[in-house]
Amino acid sequence: RRYLFVRWFVRSFVGSRRTGAHVTVPLRYPPTNVKNIMEHSVVVAPMVRGSELTYRMLLRAQGVVKLCYTPMMRAEKIVDAYNGVLSHEDCYLFLEDSCKEDTPLIVQLCGNNPDILHQATRAVVQQYKKTHQNNIYGVDLNLGCPQKCAREGSFGAYLAKKNPELAVKCVRAMKEALLGSNVNLSCKIRILDTTNATIDFAKQLQDAGCDFLTVHCRQKEDKHDSKPDLQCGRALVAALQIPVIINGAVISSQEDVDTTLKETNATTIMIARPFLSNHRLLKESNPAPACLAAEYLEYCGYYSPPSPLYIQKHLRWIFRRELDIKDFKNWRYHLWTFLARPYLQSLRQFREVVVLYITLSGCNMPEQLRDVPTPVTFSSIRHGSNKSTEDNDEESTALMNIFG
């Protein structure tokens, strides 16, 4: 694990963090008034390998997003990183994946140990202010994750359903860690077996110190494409005295956002997967995938992702509808599987992948990719045939920076 962590630094992406610091790029919207951050905008959901700094800043630049969540981080790994023990991907997210302009921001934690969550919460507030000059808006406790890792670690939706008393103790411990600060505490939950059970649990979280609540309007066992229970979300809004954010609604346009707000009376809407497919979602319903990919890769040059896995995930979401087919003889199928290959490690390679898609599909070349040398082939991308001397020098410099 330590080797993998160091390798993320060694594999510096071409044109990205060359000086060891994030490149400052001007945002395309006015400074945020945190008093109104939930009004007239949507919220970017916490997404594992999906809501990293690169993507947060890209979405902020669209002008429809203010409040963003980090990917979920394990509380015990945050405490380790704060004490100098670097053993997990979450350590990088905690120490490196933010900047002064990345605000307002909520850092999401997961865990089931009140003492560890207390320590992690304090560490987050201190570290983000010290390292990133970022006075974060809030810390969130994940009580809604339905994935296998949550089941094995007894956190997320499994903690909320099986041991709600412990979940409340965790919230109370995190709130104690925030006393004396202006940092909010939030929780993200899923619907429990009944609406009444969900309301009872939410009220306990509210009484324990939760300042606002996000509810994913599906149960732990539901699939992402199942119909959300927005009536339960509406009931939560009516029952609680704190702001409620609705997650899980089917959103494909600003009209869908407005309809969901009207139906639930929620404070605002949180969006996850729809943004992964199209970060222009609320402005343009069907932009060219190559343009979306080029814009994301441009921001990778300003704010390098924690690892190539993040770029792979984003590009596969962007190109899913175009490339995810079952025709084994079609170039689209081969490009879809090629995107998941482990030898794709540099920003240069990912830019070439998009250029290869443009070449094979015959679509227009975005301005951001016109400097990519052509022709590009599967083989040249894999073996680095188009790699310049400058690229080699940058990787050598990265190695020197790591190992002295």
Side-chain angles (χ1 to χ4, degrees), residues 97-116:
D97 201 50
S98 188
C99 64
K100 184 178 181 179
E101 296 78 18
D102 183 27
T103 187
L105 180 68
I106 293 184
V107 178
Q108 187 182 68
L109 301 177
C110 68
N112 60 16
N113 185 313
D115 292 337
I116 297 297

Side-chain angles (χ1 to χ4, degrees), residues 149-358:
C149 61
R151 183 182 73 242
E152 293 175 347
S154 299
F155 63 81
Y158 295 90
L159 174 63
K161 189 167 185 177
K162 294 183 178 180
N163 198 341
E165 296 83 6
L166 179 57
V168 172
K169 290 181 180 179
C170 290
V171 171
R172 190 173 292 115
M174 294 173 70
K175 188 64 176 181
E176 290 174 356
L178 295 174
L179 292 178
S181 74
N182 60 351
V183 178
N184 295 284
L185 177 63
S186 67
C187 298
K188 188 171 187 291
I189 68 171
R190 279 185 172 245
I191 292 173
L192 299 179
D193 292 337
T194 66
T195 297
N196 286 338
T198 307
I199 292 174
D200 289 343
F201 179 56
K203 285 184 175 180
Q204 292 180 59
L205 299 177
Q206 176 182 263
D207 294 342
C210 179
D211 295 305
F212 57 92
L213 182 78
T214 300
V215 56
H216 186 132
C217 294
R218 294 182 179 88
Q219 295 190 28
K220 174 171 60 66
E221 298 78 13
D222 292 339
K223 300 296 184 182
H224 280 281
D225 57 356
S226 63
K227 184 178 180 180
D229 186 354
L230 297 181
Q231 292 307 306
C232 181
R234 182 184 179 92
L236 272 175
V237 173
L240 299 179
Q241 297 176 341
I242 57 177
V244 175
I245 302 172
I246 294 294
N247 181 217
V250 180
I251 302 295
S252 59
S253 66
Q254 182 63 49
E255 183 180 356
D256 292 334
V257 172
D258 297 337
T259 300
T260 303
L261 287 173
K262 184 176 181 180
E263 183 175 350
T264 62
N265 289 326
T267 304
T268 190
I269 304 298
M270 175 180 282
I271 300 178
R273 292 188 174 201
F275 266 151
L276 292 178
S277 299
N278 177 11
H279 55 262
R280 298 186 193 170
L281 179 71
L282 302 184
K283 289 188 171 182
E284 189 175 353
S285 61
N286 194 31
C291 293
L292 296 175
E295 289 172 358
Y296 171 68
L297 293 176
E298 179 184 19
Y299 269 70
C300 288
Y302 300 135
Y303 310 96
S304 59
S307 84
L309 295 174
Y310 286 73
I311 303 181
Q312 286 176 317
K313 177 172 181 175
H314 280 291
L315 292 186
R316 281 171 67 85
W317 269 104
I318 290 171
F319 286 110
R320 185 175 298 271
R321 286 187 295 178
E322 289 284 320
L323 301 180
D324 189 10
I325 63 175
K326 302 304 179 184
D327 183 357
F328 301 151
K329 297 182 180 181
N330 192 300
W331 65 266
R332 296 177 187 273
Y333 169 81
H334 290 289
L335 190 56
W336 175 251
T337 56
F338 187 71
L339 259 175
R341 299 305 183 197
Y343 43 73
L344 297 180
Q345 290 287 316
S346 70
L347 180 56
R348 172 192 57 79
Q349 287 177 298
F350 288 110
R351 296 178 82 231
E352 290 176 353
V353 167
V354 179
V355 170
L356 180 58
Y357 164 81
I358 292 168

